[in-house]
Amino acid sequence: MSEFSPLVFSGVQPTGNLHLGNYLGAIRKFVALQASRNCIYCVVDLHAMTAQLVHEDLEDQTRAITAAFLAAGIDPKAHIVFNQSRVPQHAELAWIFNCVARIGWMNRMTQFKDKAGKDRENASLGLLAYPSLMAADILVYRATHVPVGDDQKQHLELTRDIAQKFNSDFSARIAKLSLGVEMMVGEERVNGYFPLTEPLIEGPAPRVMSLRDGTKKMSKSDVSDLSRINLTDDADTISKKIRKAKTDPEPLPGDVEGLAGRPEADNLVGIYAALSDRSKEEVIAEFGGRQFSAFKPALSELAVSVLSPISVQMRRLLDDPAYIDGVLADGGERAGAIAEKTMKDVRAIIGLLA
Ligand code: AQP
């Protein structure tokens, strides 16, 4: 019985300074997965256009995300690093998925509702169809695993829905062309062309929260720079932001259950755990009962020790844009070859003469 070979895919939008949430929710996991899996990491520049069409600095932002990938430890030779628009098969498959997915599915997406706000009629069609392009990004490589932050969980579920509907709508053609792969869906063994991709969300900080409000996600678009730690922040700025981070007046609890109902404390403990590759339990075993005045300096020191080498290396890499462009061109070529193989099958399954 043939099976899908494990393959990791994930992407980051070139839409502003990367922050600790992007690092812990995504990039740090990208780095760790390289040891055990083949990985494809993408700067998703086509996604950047969905919320705002014109970006004066899209090229520089794309290079900056690439530099962050490499500085964090992604190996572009052993794996693949490229920018999405270099591989037009993403957009081609997204169109097909636009015809597979239902408008109702898109309308239910929390990210669309948040980003479109009250004036939904005026949001771009691209913003509505964002998850369809995301499904295409993943499935054009028939990727089996996607490391993401918790905010992307819903989009990953939709990717599975799209894969499942395609597999079932075209089941006869897939079987006729012998292009199916057997897989388990619940208790049932089915034959399909696309895998039902698994999200990789686990870890102690799947959703890093704002340093100013523990109930809000840390995000690039928050107006307050104090709400996030940027990967480009220097040591003094990181320490200042952690010192000013909102907390409650109680000391850290004696066990993890004591973090319930204390979002800011929970967030800082989760950040410490993720940065030191430990569990929250282990962090609480060390710091339980201590005041924030003792915990925050330890967190600052840890954050600086992890992030500073990355920002120094990012700056070094950004001094050589030709090198970065070379990485993206090489990655694009290798990604394109895999994507074209998938699209040949998909065109045949659908009946597009090509
Ligand atoms: N706060 C977060 N905690 C954990 N993971 C996060 N990610 C983003 N924010 C957090 C993860 O980072 C990856 C790249 O995300 P993206 O390129 O889609 O960027 P984004 O989600 O648009 O980033 P922001 O800061 O959240 O942007 P805005 O301000 O526009 O909403 C993804 O894996 C994401 O889960």
Side-chain angles (χ1 to χ4, degrees):
M1 182 182 88
S2 67
E3 273 180 27
F4 290 102
S5 333
L7 177 68
V8 169
F9 175 93
S10 197
V12 174
Q13 298 187 73
T15 48
N17 271 337
L18 287 176
H19 52 71
L20 188 63
N22 301 127
Y23 177 66
L24 293 178
I27 296 173
R28 194 172 167 91
K29 293 183 196 154
F30 298 179
V31 175
L33 282 161
Q34 297 180 106
S36 55
R37 299 272 160 84
N38 289 324
C39 305
I40 304 180
Y41 296 128
C42 184
V43 185
V44 288
D45 47 9
L46 296 176
H47 280 283
M49 295 157 59
T50 56
Q52 178 192 327
L53 180 59
V54 180
H55 294 257
E56 294 304 335
D57 57 353
L58 189 58
E59 290 110 329
D60 288 345
Q61 293 280 1
T62 301
R63 292 188 185 108
I65 305 290
T66 311
F69 283 179
L70 305 183
I74 292 170
D75 177 348
K77 290 209 167 74
H79 301 275
I80 295 181
V81 172
F82 74 108
N83 58 307
Q84 186 185 26
S85 58
R86 268 178 208 272
V87 180
Q89 288 84 352
H90 287 237
E92 185 184 357
L93 186 58
W95 175 255
I96 290 162
F97 286 169
N98 281 344
C99 302
V100 173
R102 310 287 89 184
I103 293 175
W105 300 1
M106 301 292 164
N107 270 327
R108 280 195 288 278
M109 292 295 110
T110 316
Q111 182 173 295
F112 173 67
K113 289 190 228 169
D114 288 349
K115 295 212 166 167
K118 288 203 174 70
D119 196 7
R120 254 202 228 186
E121 291 290 305
N122 206 25
S124 77
L125 194 51
L127 188 67
L128 181 68
Y130 181 114
S132 185
L133 178 58
M134 180 166 159
D137 298 337
I138 297 163
L139 295 176
V140 83
Y141 303 102
R142 300 166 92 193
T144 54
H145 295 87
V146 180
V148 277
D150 175 71
D151 58 318
Q152 291 298 324
K153 194 171 173 195
Q154 201 184 27
H155 286 165
L156 260 301
E157 279 159 11
L158 197 133
T159 298
R160 291 167 66 94
D161 291 343
I162 289 176
Q164 202 157 1
K165 186 165 187 317
F166 182 96
N167 287 344
S168 124
D169 289 355
F170 289 102
S171 60
R173 300 272 305 179
I174 293 167
K176 188 170 163 213
L177 294 165
S178 303
L179 287 172
V181 174
E182 276 194 25
M183 63 188 131
M184 294 302 289
V185 177
E187 301 290 286
E188 216 185 322
R189 188 180 294 282
V190 299
N191 200 277
Y193 183 74
F194 288 119
L196 302 187
T197 306
E198 295 286 342
L200 300 173
I201 300 181
E202 68 282 352
R207 181 182 290 248
V208 178
M209 308 308 272
S210 156
L211 298 181
R212 306 302 295 163
D213 177 351
T215 64
K216 261 174 60 184
K217 188 181 82 133
M218 184 177 283
S219 114
K220 294 170 189 155
S221 54
D222 195 312
V223 285
S224 166
D225 194 53
L226 285 176
S227 70
R228 63 183 159 262
I229 292 173
N230 302 306
L231 284 197
T232 48
D233 284 343
D234 61 23
D236 286 349
T237 310
I238 293 174
S239 300
K240 183 180 93 182
K241 287 178 175 175
I242 293 177
R243 202 168 53 245
K244 287 182 172 276
K246 187 178 164 200
T247 47
D248 56 44
E250 301 299 319
L252 284 170
D255 53 35
V256 174
E257 288 69 42
L259 291 169
R262 298 180 62 188
E264 284 83 15
D266 187 42
N267 190 35
L268 295 185
V269 170
I271 291 173
Y272 193 103
L275 282 171
S276 57
D277 291 324
R278 288 198 280 172
S279 64
K280 286 195 208 174
E281 284 77 5
E282 288 172 293
V283 176
I284 286 295
E286 184 177 345
F287 290 98
R290 309 266 292 272
Q291 298 290 342
F292 282 105
S293 55
F295 180 61
K296 282 182 169 181
L299 178 58
S300 291
E301 198 183 319
L302 173 63
V304 168
S305 74
V306 174
L307 300 180
S308 284
I310 298 177
S311 67
V312 168
Q313 180 62 1
M314 260 181 88
R315 273 194 293 277
R316 230 179 259 148
L317 287 162
L318 287 169
D319 280 342
D320 190 356
Y323 169 72
I324 294 187
D325 292 357
V327 165
L328 294 173
D330 170 62
E333 217 165 286
R334 289 187 288 136
I338 305 170
E340 180 52 21
K341 196 167 167 295
T342 303
M343 286 316 299
K344 277 210 171 92
D345 290 346
V346 170
R347 290 179 206 118
I349 289 167
I350 293 178
L352 301 170
L353 291 176

